[in-house]
Amino acid sequence: SLFLRGLAQYFWGKSYHAVPAFSGDEPINILGATLLPQSLWVLGSMLILVCLLAWFFERTLSGKAMLAVAANKDAAQMVGISPRFVLLLAFALSAALGAIAGVMAAPITLTSYDIGIMLGLKGFVAAVLGGLGSAFGAVAGGLLLGLMEAMTAGYVSSDYKDAVPFVLVLLVLFFMPGGLFGAKSTARV
C-alpha cells in the first residue's frame, strides 16, 4: 500500500486533480438552492441503472441464476447453474457498475488515489441505512444520507459533513438493525 501510494504520487503528484463536468460547471438555482448539472447526470444515471438492474434480476435467466446462487449455492448447482460462472458474472457486473459510478462522480469529487475510501464507506452506510438486501432501500438510504450531509453542511458546518454517515450508521444499528426498509425476517421451525 505504501509502495502504491508512493508510485501514484510520483506519476500524478500529491495535489488533487479535477475532471471536467459533462455539461458545464454553471450551477442551477432551484428555490434558492444551487445544484450542479453533474448532480443531475448522477441522479439520472442512477435511476436508469437501478431500473436496468431490477429488469436484469427479474426478467433474465442470468439474473435469476445470480439470485439462485446467492440464496443457495448447492441447490442452484443441482439444477444446472454454474456457481463459478455466476460469480464471474457478478464480479464483471460490479466492476461495470463501479466504473460507471466513478465516471459519473469524478467531476463532482476531486480525484486522488485514495478518494474511493470515503465514497465506499458512505455507500455502505447508505445500504445499511436503507436495509441490506433491498435495492429500493439502498437508493432511499443514499438519497437520505446525501440530504442529511447537505443539511449538516448548510446549517451546522461543513467540517461535520463527513461525520454524518458514521453517526447515522451507529443510530441505525442501535435502534433499527434491519434498516429503514429492511425485511422482517421470520424463522420457520
Side-chain angles (χ1 to χ4, degrees), residues 71-139:
N72 190 338
K73 183 179 110 173
D74 294 330
Q77 192 170 14
M78 290 174 83
V79 295
I81 298 171
S82 170
R84 191 176 178 130
F85 173 74
V86 168
L87 187 64
L88 178 69
L89 182 64
F91 272 101
L93 185 62
S94 68
L97 290 172
I100 292 169
V103 167
M104 291 293 162
I108 295 173
T109 61
L110 297 175
T111 57
S112 174
Y113 65 92
D114 62 348
I115 196 73
I117 295 170
M118 192 56 127
L119 293 175
L121 286 172
K122 288 180 182 183
F124 174 72
V125 170
V128 169
L129 180 63
L132 291 173
S134 169
F136 173 73
V139 171

Side-chain angles (χ1 to χ4, degrees), residues 52-75:
L52 284 174
L53 281 174
W55 174 81
F56 175 75
F57 285 120
E58 291 177 10
R59 303 280 186 212
T60 64
L61 287 176
S62 297
K64 291 178 182 181
M66 288 177 83
L67 293 175
V69 169
N72 190 338
K73 183 179 110 173
D74 294 330

